[in-house]
Amino acid sequence: EVQLLESGGALVQPGGSLRLSCAASGFTFSIFAMTWVRQAPGKGPEWVSSIGSSGSNTYYADSVRGRFTISRDNFKNTLYLEMNTLRVEDTAVYYCANTPTVLPGIIAYYFDYWGQGTLVTVSS
Amino acid sequence: DIQLTQSPSFLSASVGDRVTITCRASQGIRSFLAWYQQKPGKAPKLLIYGASTLQSGVPSRFSGSGSGAEFTLTITSLQPEDFATYYCQQLTSYPCSFGQGTKLEIK
């Protein structure tokens, strides 16, 4: 059974930092891209960042570029999101998601398995 | 950036009805669109990818169609558990984008 388990969410002051983790099991983690998606209260999902299967390629939303860093450890089957200089508008539930592509070699990604989410609250 | 616009934003229907949700992309994305269902307090659940491929375990009353810039999600014979919010999504070029959502409510 595929499982994605996020952790690390917390209440943090503006300007603070957090590191989220996503422990994966039940599938071959190292062959899939992975993604962080967040959802602010009452809003729709918002893509945050994606990383290729090897970790060499990373992509960020403009709203987090330069402040957040995505990484992965394929030996530990774990995805990370380092978040710095946090803002009130970063408050959201953060989900990690497995990211397969419709066709090999084609940029046509979707999210087939999601974790349960971890809540990040940025407030003074 | 590719924008996705869903219509309608709200939909009221009854058990047994057939409903259709539309997602329009600001530029062509071939057939590379996915649909998700989300219930309160839960993560989105993949229903359809590649515009029309049903994810394993998803009931056959859900179907998707379309290509290029216009796509539809159809639910035939609505069941009580289908009342939720639905989102379309594309990642054919970065940044990834989601539609704004369609909330399906019981009439």
Side-chain angles (χ1 to χ4, degrees):
Chain A
E1 178 192 4
V2 171
Q3 287 197 339
L4 294 168
L5 185 61
E6 302 97 336
S7 60
L11 170 63
V12 61
Q13 292 189 337
S17 298
L18 275 179
R19 187 196 202 199
L20 305 184
S21 299
C22 170
S25 61
F27 67 105
T28 308
F29 178 77
S30 61
I31 67 172
F32 290 101
M34 293 292 294
T35 296
W36 289 98
V37 174
R38 69 184 180 184
Q39 192 165 25
K43 303 294 186 182
E46 178 192 11
W47 173 74
V48 173
S49 180
S50 295
I51 186 168
S53 58
S54 68
S56 299
N57 298 315
T58 58
Y59 308 89
Y60 297 94
D62 286 346
S63 58
V64 306
R65 185 177 292 112
R67 299 188 299 122
F68 290 12
T69 302
I70 190 171
S71 62
R72 64 191 296 162
D73 185 332
N74 285 345
F75 294 103
K76 294 183 177 179
N77 289 350
T78 303
L79 176 72
Y80 302 101
L81 187 67
E82 189 78 35
M83 304 188 294
N84 296 315
T85 319
L86 282 160
R87 305 168 179 168
V88 171
E89 54 266 34
D90 295 319
T91 294
V93 174
Y94 284 71
Y95 297 100
C96 64
N98 185 49
T99 310
T101 183
V102 175
L103 293 171
I106 300 294
I107 299 177
Y109 294 104
Y110 59 100
F111 312 122
D112 59 352
Y113 294 103
W114 298 61
Q116 86 291 344
T118 188
L119 177 62
V120 173
T121 304
V122 185
S123 174
S124 54
Chain B
D1 297 1
I2 298 173
Q3 316 297 325
L4 297 179
T5 303
Q6 288 181 231
S7 60
S9 295
F10 296 93
L11 185 54
S12 182
S14 301
V15 172
D17 284 354
R18 171 190 173 108
V19 298
T20 298
I21 300 169
T22 297
C23 178
R24 290 185 173 86
S26 59
Q27 59 187 269
I29 56 173
R30 298 168 64 180
S31 61
F32 302 138
L33 186 91
W35 290 96
Y36 302 85
Q37 176 194 69
Q38 188 176 31
K39 297 182 179 179
K42 299 294 187 181
K45 172 188 173 184
L46 176 67
L47 299 174
I48 287 167
Y49 63 94
S52 60
T53 302
L54 201 63
Q55 171 70 346
S56 176
V58 174
S60 59
R61 62 181 180 273
F62 292 90
S63 64
S65 65
S67 65
E70 186 156 334
F71 302 86
T72 58
L73 171 70
T74 299
I75 313 171
T76 57
S77 189
L78 273 172
Q79 298 301 300
E81 60 268 28
D82 299 337
F83 292 94
T85 302
Y86 293 84
Y87 297 96
C88 56
Q89 171 260 324
Q90 72 79 29
L91 209 181
T92 59
S93 65
Y94 291 97
C96 170
S97 49
F98 288 87
Q100 83 280 10
T102 295
K103 188 173 184 179
L104 177 56
E105 298 178 323
I106 300 176
K107 186 182 288 184

